[in-house]
Amino acid sequence: MRAIRGRLLLAGLLAAGCAGQSLRADVSATRTEVEKVRRNGGERCNPREIARAEAALDFADRELDEGNSGAAEDQLDAAHENLHRAAVTAEQCAPKIVTVREKPVPVVLIEKTDRDGDGVPDLDDACPDVPGPKENQGCPLVKDTDGDGIPDDQDKCPLDPEDKDGFQDEDGCPDPDNDHDGVVDAMDACPNNPGPVENQGCPVLDRDHDGIVDWLDKCPDVPGVAPDGCPRKFKLIEVKQDRIEIRQQVHFATGRFKVLKDSFTLLDQVAQALKDAPRVRVRVEGHTDDVGREAANLRLSQRRAQAVRAYLVRKGIAPDRLEAVGYGPTRPLASNKTAKGRAQNRRTEFRIVTSM
Amino acid sequence: MRPLLPFTLLALLGCGPVRYTGVLWDADRELAAARAAGAADRAPYEFALSEEYLHQAKVLAGHARYDDADDYGRRATAYAKAAHQKAAGQAVAEGK
């Protein structure tokens, strides 16, 4: 029994190691891409996206060092997203290269040449660099037994015609099931993406990662619970695609960061919503108005966000599903010139960042 | 006896949380100064890097990874200073 457990442990460690290696290679490749985009005008056109991509790669490396391949993968996704944005816009804003064509100088060929030495002068030779008989305009005679337009000497399957469905058409071999999902292309609604026959060969999607596949999920973009995949109804909160919306504010003692008792019911409902969607991760965001020094407001908002996070952890939510970030007055919702606006800006938000 | 109390507390708690808190405060302050100097528009690359490192530093601090939070907080401060300097230089060049 001990030996089996040991082997299982060893296999687990090896699998984790392989995933880490592969992620590390991805990080390195993405870094090269970022460098390429930066050289092609990315830093000038999209400095923010380039910076975010570089930082995310740095974070991914650090998470891999710590053995957190899940977190590293999230950072790598963030790097890809920013790289893609930077690359798309860089193409549009990069300086255009204009080629000025010089006027061709007329050349008179007097000498008759035959570069491939097949006896057909280059002027009459359709293939002047490859020898071939005169009857074939100087080109070599090549057979195409299966008649798929790919000469036998380049055809990996000279007896089976290529199916020319846009997938690996250059090798000359037919691909009846491009994605190897067991559903032949003729019957496969997604011939290049593997998926089960029950879903017509298309991948099973679960966009909101709530464990209920999209075609059975009445709310496919909002994490929910069985049977219909929609979120449970709460009195004080509502689960949305990108956030948990709260209908009343979290209350703290003035100028302090202790959560007041009258907010416990609200936070209990947030905790229940997180328990209902165990693969969802949330960033607790603390925001303030602009009264007072910015640095002090940033500190207070960070501590308040951490206090809310700590409450949720006490209610049984895994700590690695929760981030706490204080933004101070930097992300106002309304004008800070009015009391009403300032009250709107003093808030706590629960943003769904990613699904695990 | 009294002057020894803060040191005793520090020894009991460990220095990690105390050190990273100071670093994050510095980073917050430098970033706020850079923003006020218009670095978000005049030095967007350095400013965005500073924001990203500070954000990650806060996230890691929340997970009790104080050494990493401290490291990222320092980088955030360095980028915020660079952004501030660049923005100030540009403002002078623009005659503002």
Side-chain angles (χ1 to χ4, degrees), chain A residues 190-201:
Chain A
C190 305
N192 295 323
N193 293 309
V197 67
E198 302 83 48
N199 201 28
Q200 287 144 358

Side-chain angles (χ1 to χ4, degrees), chain A residues 285-341:
Chain A
E285 296 184 352
H287 300 272
T288 66
D289 57 27
D290 72 346
V291 176
R293 285 172 47 237
E294 183 173 336
N297 279 329
L298 280 164
R299 272 200 302 276
L300 181 63
S301 62
Q302 175 69 26
R303 283 176 163 176
R304 284 182 166 174
Q306 280 173 339
V308 170
R309 176 179 180 270
Y311 182 91
L312 294 173
V313 170
R314 279 201 302 278
K315 288 292 167 182
I317 308 301
D320 61 355
R321 294 179 56 202
L322 296 164
E323 290 175 6
V325 178
Y327 289 105
T330 58
R331 298 186 179 189
L333 287 180
S335 165
N336 275 307
K337 288 179 181 162
T338 64
K340 194 181 167 193

Side-chain angles (χ1 to χ4, degrees), chain A residues 241-253:
Chain A
Q241 188 176 351
D242 60 340
R243 65 191 189 281
I244 298 174
E245 198 170 87
I246 52 177
R247 297 199 177 107
Q248 62 174 232
Q249 267 313 315
V250 181
H251 294 136
F252 301 92

Side-chain angles (χ1 to χ4, degrees), chain A residues 38 47-48 51-52 54 58-59 62-63 66 68 75 294 298-299 302 309 319 322-323 325-327 330, chain B residues 20 25 28 32 35 40-41 44-45 48-49 52-53 55-56 58-60 62-63 65 68 71-72 75:
Chain A
R38 172 208 272 281
R48 289 178 193 86
R52 283 177 194 141
E54 285 179 350
D58 199 8
F59 303 151
R62 181 72 57 96
E63 295 303 335
E66 293 290 322
N68 302 330
Q75 294 294 355
E294 183 173 336
L298 280 164
R299 272 200 302 276
Q302 175 69 26
R309 176 179 180 270
L322 296 164
E323 290 175 6
V325 178
Y327 289 105
T330 58
Chain B
Y20 98 83
W25 288 353
D28 268 334
R35 185 180 291 109
D41 297 322
Y45 174 74
L49 273 174
E52 291 299 308
Y53 276 108
H55 178 271
Q56 189 68 1
K58 288 177 177 175
V59 170
L60 294 185
H63 292 292
R65 286 169 59 184
D68 289 337
D71 179 24
Y72 285 159
R75 291 197 209 184

Side-chain angles (χ1 to χ4, degrees), chain A residues 16 19-27 30 53 55-80 281 354, chain B residues 56 60 65:
Chain A
Q21 287 292 329
S22 146
L23 276 172
R24 186 90 62 188
D26 279 353
V27 169
T30 311
L57 289 172
D58 199 8
F59 303 151
D61 260 337
R62 181 72 57 96
E63 295 303 335
L64 284 172
D65 291 342
E66 293 290 322
N68 302 330
S69 45
E73 226 171 316
D74 288 345
Q75 294 294 355
L76 189 57
D77 286 346
H80 281 150
R281 288 176 63 195
T354 50
Chain B
Q56 189 68 1
L60 294 185
R65 286 169 59 184

